[in-house]
Amino acid sequence: MTPSRRAVLAAMAGGALAGCAGPRSTANRSASVTGSPSTSAAIAPGTSTPGSSPSATAPTATAPSASRAVTRADIVARYGHAVPHTWGFDAPAVVHALPTTRRVIALTFDACGGPGGSGYDAALIDFLRRREIPATLFINSRWIDANPAVFRRLAAEPLFEIANHGTRHRPLSVTGRSAYGIPGTRSAAEVYDEISGNQTKLTRLLGTPPRFFRSGTAYCDDVAARIVTALGERFVSFSVNGDGGATFTPEQVRTTVTAAPGGSIVICHMNHPRGGTARGITAAVPQLLATGHSFTRLSDALH
């Protein structure tokens, strides 16, 4: 990873993903488009900068047969003793941008669920419908349980695709690392549970397994990222933090999203209807269309 890339990711960490992290803080609000916190905001002391250290080496184990599903026991055997070397928004195989420099942008919206996170931004989704703007919706198991009828409508619309945002909305760690005050998973077994619980639910509801995964807060270590791949999904992070974890004002959202370069993966939230996301996106999308940009679902851009 280039130094400029690490700087971008570190700066985005300052816009804490509070739409997923619960109570908003003054720090979250102050992390505006122009704010650039130090790398320590993204990486805990004593931890390597994401992507700068060698990947974790899993213990030797016999890989499961391709003819059967990967089990919890398989994951524990292969990764149970692996030591992570990174923590943050980046790890091997994590996707941050589309493989293009054309004026194509992927809008992604998280629905985190849980206390304070199970709302539904109908104004945002209705705008996307009216303008026929495709998007990828990363939905947590808890949000589905709180909004079953809405979920069914969203899942039935070809304009949107549903992706996996975890079972309990936890940062993806094999050692219990936390992000924004949310405790992470504590072992390879818990990483499996966080991914597969919602994967199983989505597969049952959609009729096909989800292709993409994003953890609660988007944080992961490199071992956990490998487990996502082992379970048949791609870990998708982001290159533009579009709403600062649902803490940005409408103008901040508009400014941030309209500045997104071609190939960006924009993260916003669809579970905070009182936030500035809907009004900001409503203002940004027409500006981007007027300058020749188009929008895509992740599955139509990542092969």
Side-chain angles (χ1 to χ4, degrees):
M1 177 185 290
T2 65
S4 61
R5 181 63 174 163
R6 286 196 293 269
V8 169
L9 292 175
M12 288 189 292
L17 301 181
C20 299
R24 298 175 180 137
S25 67
T26 303
N28 293 343
R29 296 178 191 275
S30 66
S32 66
V33 180
T34 57
S36 298
S38 66
T39 305
S40 62
I43 309 299
T47 305
S48 302
T49 303
S52 62
S53 299
S55 301
T57 302
T60 302
T62 302
S65 169
S67 63
R68 66 176 178 84
V70 178
T71 66
R72 194 175 195 263
D74 293 329
I75 294 300
V76 172
R78 293 168 64 186
Y79 301 101
H81 298 287
V83 177
H85 295 278
T86 68
W87 177 245
F89 295 134
D90 193 34
V94 171
V95 179
H96 295 97
L98 306 179
T100 182
T101 56
R102 295 186 299 113
R103 295 182 180 182
V104 180
I105 293 173
L107 293 178
T108 71
F109 297 94
D110 288 2
C112 309
S118 291
Y120 171 55
D121 197 337
L124 170 67
I125 298 300
D126 288 346
F127 168 77
L128 298 175
R129 288 186 179 117
R130 288 195 306 272
R131 297 301 299 261
E132 298 184 346
I133 304 298
T136 301
L137 311 179
F138 283 86
I139 299 183
N140 182 263
S141 183
R142 302 177 306 176
W143 195 92
I144 297 172
D145 293 340
N147 301 275
V150 173
F151 175 82
R152 287 194 296 271
R153 289 197 298 273
L154 294 172
E157 297 187 54
L159 191 63
F160 306 127
E161 68 176 334
I162 308 299
N164 186 353
H165 196 34
T167 305
R168 298 173 59 194
H169 194 268
R170 300 178 69 181
L172 216 60
S173 167
V174 295
T175 60
R177 297 289 295 272
S178 65
Y180 310 126
I182 301 177
T185 49
R186 297 169 296 181
S187 64
E190 289 194 4
V191 170
Y192 174 90
D193 294 340
E194 179 66 13
I195 302 164
S196 69
N198 201 39
Q199 182 184 63
T200 299
K201 180 190 289 284
L202 289 174
T203 301
R204 174 175 56 82
L205 293 171
L206 302 174
T208 185
R211 289 184 57 188
F212 307 108
F213 178 88
R214 178 183 289 150
S215 63
T217 75
Y219 266 64
C220 70
D221 64 39
D222 50 316
V223 178
R226 288 169 180 256
I227 295 174
V228 173
T229 302
L231 292 178
E233 299 186 23
R234 297 181 73 178
F235 196 119
V236 175
S237 187
F238 59 93
S239 54
V240 175
N241 189 346
D243 67 358
T247 66
F248 283 0
T249 66
E251 179 58 20
Q252 285 177 309
V253 174
R254 184 196 67 79
T255 302
T256 306
V257 175
T258 54
S264 293
I265 296 176
V266 178
I267 183 174
C268 287
H269 291 79
M270 54 171 278
N271 61 317
H272 284 279
R274 296 183 180 180
T277 303
R279 284 177 292 166
I281 291 293
T282 299
V285 165
Q287 288 186 244
L288 287 166
L289 291 172
T291 54
H293 290 79
S294 61
F295 299 91
T296 183
R297 305 180 311 166
L298 289 176
S299 62
D300 296 322
L302 300 175
H303 304 290

